[in-house]
Amino acid sequence: MLITKEQIFERAKQSQLWAGNLIAGYQNHTAKLKNYTPIDNSLIGYIADGSAQDVHAAVNVARSTFQEGSWSGLSPQERKQVMLRWAQLIEKHSEELAALDCVDAGKPITECLNTDLPATIETFYWYAEAIDKLFGKIAPTGNQEMGLIVHEPIGVVGAVLPWNFPAQMFAWKVAPALAVGNSVIVKPAELTSLSAYRLVELAYEAGIPKGALSLVCGLGEKVGEALGRHPDVDMVSFTGSTEVGRLFLKYSAESNLKEIVLECGGKSPQVVFEDADIDAAIPHIMAAAFWNMSENCSCGSRLIVHENIKKPLLEKLTKAVASWQVGNPMDAAVSIGPMIEQAHFEKVKSFLDSTIKEGGKLVVGGKVRSDLGSGWYIEPTIFDAVTPEMSLFRHEVFGPILAVTSFKTDDEAVTLANDTHYGLAASFYSQNIHRVMNIARRINAGTVSVNGFSEGNITTPFGGFRQSGFGGKDNGLEAFEQYTQTKVIWLINH
């Protein structure tokens, strides 16, 4: 049965939304956590309060399913057909899933409907179609030997998801991991579990064996750590903070040395050179800085501008900010919703005060909208005169505050862009092809976009340098590498 966004919003008002554990053949316990929406901090339902025991049960089911081959043993063509059915069901239920992410994460409904869910659907279709287009290799040998180089599923995969793009990050990890034949255990963020629960239900409806895909909801310190430490989990793919990413490396080192893939934080630069087309750049700069309330790892939170064009650029940005409406994200006209929770709101809010104290100059915004819902709403804000010594320049804010810093020379611009512990993404603007080729090579980031803000698309790998993560990439055919292991089969002809 199709469910409309209005029905989801009504269920949220009645506290009827639920996300429980989904583990084949396992009787779930009844412990629950209350689930509040950041829109107005009201109770919208409950999620399962998962435990290490639940993780252990899910791992046992995943391992036995992997070994008996009901999913891993299927031909690529057979897995492809099931994955395509799943993608079709997701497309059919896209409005429901978009509404779940809206009320769960406080994301604008228009963004969920027009950006997140289309990207989620595309990811599932793309990896379904890619399954039977992966080839091994034959090593160059003499007539007496043959060396086959094959890629096999790694086994039991833990997918630990962030709260900022719930459905889309589910797709980025689960689609390629399942496509190559792994058994996958999903741990959604405790703040945003609703769409993951529904996506797994749709997977079962499409025909994916229940043992090949499990869901364990709950707190990171219980469920996430249990996955990271479990001796029978072969790898964990994690997206989230750098701080928690370090913990997964520790869990791996102290258990079975499972593979860990990290996509962590960022402090991405946007560099605008003197010859840039400012009018064309404005919407991209705004999107990079404030899209998804800036709760985005690749957020272009540092605007590095040539001193000769800073004044007209800031004037145009100030006008553009006025079109980004702050309010209830269930309203189709709203572009900026609330921060995800009070603790995060307080962290973001603290930068408003600290930047003024450290010498930053407020250009626009800077106000907390305590009159709206939960009160966790912050206007899109721009500070000028931000120097590399200031907290706003150095630390990931994950909120709608843009730091503006000026430069004089290309070398200074590159130095400022690279003056960070992170290296996830960057963008810059110039009409000079020689500068474009030079600067694109010199900026240290996993994705560098030119004359626009972009993370690439499903065909291009996404991941960062330095403390933004390592170990593998999401998206592209490269994503398959983290979920497979390479084997050599050496045949000897006597």
Side-chain angles (χ1 to χ4, degrees):
M1 182 180 70
L2 294 181
I3 301 173
T4 66
K5 61 181 185 295
E6 289 79 14
Q7 289 172 313
I8 291 296
F9 295 158
E10 185 60 32
R11 291 183 184 184
K13 290 179 182 178
Q14 298 176 11
S15 307
Q16 292 180 349
L17 298 177
W18 165 249
N21 296 337
L22 294 169
I23 306 167
Y26 176 68
Q27 184 65 42
N28 294 324
H29 59 72
T30 57
K32 299 176 183 179
L33 295 170
K34 292 181 178 180
N35 187 17
Y36 297 91
T37 176
I39 296 173
D40 58 9
N41 200 27
S42 64
L43 182 70
I44 58 173
Y46 301 84
I47 70 168
D49 183 10
S51 65
Q53 180 181 346
D54 298 326
V55 171
H56 185 66
V59 173
N60 286 343
V61 168
R63 177 62 64 191
S64 62
T65 301
F66 182 76
Q67 291 176 341
E68 59 92 6
S70 61
W71 180 251
S72 60
L74 295 181
S75 69
Q77 292 80 6
E78 291 173 314
R79 288 200 301 274
K80 173 180 176 177
Q81 293 306 313
V82 178
M83 294 285 290
L84 285 174
R85 286 198 296 271
W86 190 13
Q88 291 162 1
L89 284 170
I90 295 169
E91 188 169 20
K92 186 177 179 180
H93 291 267
S94 60
E95 182 175 322
E96 173 190 357
L97 292 163
L100 289 173
D101 276 359
C102 173
V103 297
D104 215 11
K107 296 170 65 73
I109 185 60
T110 302
E111 182 180 304
C112 294
L113 287 169
N114 298 333
T115 302
D116 289 22
L117 262 296
T120 298
I121 294 162
E122 179 188 32
T123 300
F124 277 99
Y125 274 118
W126 199 84
Y127 283 110
E129 291 289 354
I131 292 173
D132 57 0
K133 299 171 182 66
L134 300 175
F135 296 87
K137 294 185 289 186
I138 299 177
T141 64
N143 293 333
Q144 301 304 309
E145 300 90 17
M146 177 178 287
L148 305 178
I149 303 169
V150 299
H151 304 289
E152 298 180 344
I154 197 168
V156 176
V157 171
V160 182
L161 311 182
W163 47 257
N164 53 344
F165 293 91
Q168 192 173 349
M169 294 300 100
F170 181 105
W172 278 22
K173 297 188 184 302
V174 176
L178 273 179
V180 294
N182 293 293
S183 292
V184 181
I185 302 165
V186 180
K187 192 278 176 198
E190 57 265 31
L191 296 172
T192 55
S193 300
L194 297 178
S195 61
Y197 180 76
R198 192 70 182 106
L199 284 164
V200 174
E201 287 187 322
L202 293 174
Y204 297 160
E205 185 177 338
I208 290 176
K210 292 184 177 181
L213 180 61
S214 301
L215 182 78
V216 185
C217 299
L219 301 174
E221 55 266 34
K222 293 164 64 175
V223 177
E225 180 171 353
L227 266 177
R229 291 188 180 278
H230 201 286
D232 207 23
V233 172
D234 297 297
M235 69 89 63
V236 169
S237 181
F238 168 80
T239 294
S241 71
T242 301
E243 178 185 8
V244 177
R246 293 178 189 275
L247 292 178
F248 277 99
L249 295 177
K250 177 183 178 182
Y251 301 154
S252 172
E254 294 178 352
S255 57
N256 61 334
L257 288 179
K258 60 177 63 64
E259 294 190 24
I260 301 292
V261 173
L262 302 178
E263 195 271 276
C264 299
K267 192 67 182 173
S268 301
Q270 302 188 71
V271 185
V272 186
F273 291 93
E274 190 174 12
D275 66 331
D277 182 339
I278 295 178
D279 289 329
I282 292 297
H284 289 275
I285 293 171
M286 290 291 296
F290 301 123
W291 170 47
N292 199 51
M293 293 76 72
S294 309
E295 294 172 336
N296 176 22
C297 295
S298 61
C299 170
S301 57
R302 293 184 296 138
L303 184 61
I304 300 168
V305 186
H306 193 281
E307 62 181 11
N308 290 346
I309 61 167
K310 186 176 73 170
K311 182 178 179 180
L313 179 64
L314 289 181
E315 289 174 350
K316 292 177 182 293
L317 286 175
T318 299
K319 293 179 181 178
V321 164
S323 66
W324 283 60
Q325 182 175 330
V326 181
N328 188 322
M330 292 187 287
D331 182 342
V334 164
S335 301
I336 300 283
M339 298 289 92
I340 186 68
E341 62 175 342
Q342 184 168 7
H344 183 61
F345 162 76
E346 296 293 345
K347 173 200 165 186
V348 175
K349 179 176 175 289
S350 70
F351 283 94
L352 297 175
D353 297 328
S354 65
T355 304
I356 293 292
K357 291 178 181 178
E358 292 175 15
K361 297 180 180 179
L362 181 64
V363 176
V364 65
K367 295 179 181 178
V368 171
R369 293 295 304 275
S370 56
D371 58 311
L372 296 173
S374 61
W376 306 337
Y377 295 74
I378 296 176
E379 292 180 340
T381 300
I382 300 175
F383 280 105
D384 188 16
V386 177
T387 65
E389 296 75 30
M390 293 183 184
S391 300
L392 189 61
F393 187 96
R394 307 229 63 85
H395 299 297
E396 184 178 38
V397 178
F398 233 56
I401 306 176
L402 178 63
V404 179
T405 305
S406 59
F407 69 90
K408 295 180 180 180
T409 68
D410 286 14
D411 286 345
E412 184 183 5
V414 171
T415 297
L416 288 167
N418 290 336
D419 188 9
T420 174
H421 295 302
Y422 299 107
L424 185 58
S427 56
F428 70 92
Y429 299 82
S430 173
Q431 302 301 305
N432 184 322
I433 186 61
H434 303 291
R435 174 181 283 137
V436 165
M437 296 304 297
N438 177 268
I439 300 300
R441 292 285 187 176
R442 295 173 65 190
I443 291 180
N444 295 322
T447 298
V448 178
S449 60
V450 183
N451 291 325
F453 168 64
S454 178
E455 295 178 346
N457 66 13
I458 187 60
T459 69
T460 57
F462 181 80
F465 298 170
R466 300 173 173 174
Q467 292 183 29
S468 288
F470 59 88
K473 303 288 185 180
D474 291 316
N475 291 349
L477 293 176
E478 289 81 0
F480 285 126
E481 296 174 7
Q482 63 182 299
Y483 302 114
T484 59
Q485 51 195 355
T486 302
K487 177 183 286 184
V488 173
I489 301 174
W490 193 262
L491 306 176
I492 301 172
N493 182 24
H494 291 292

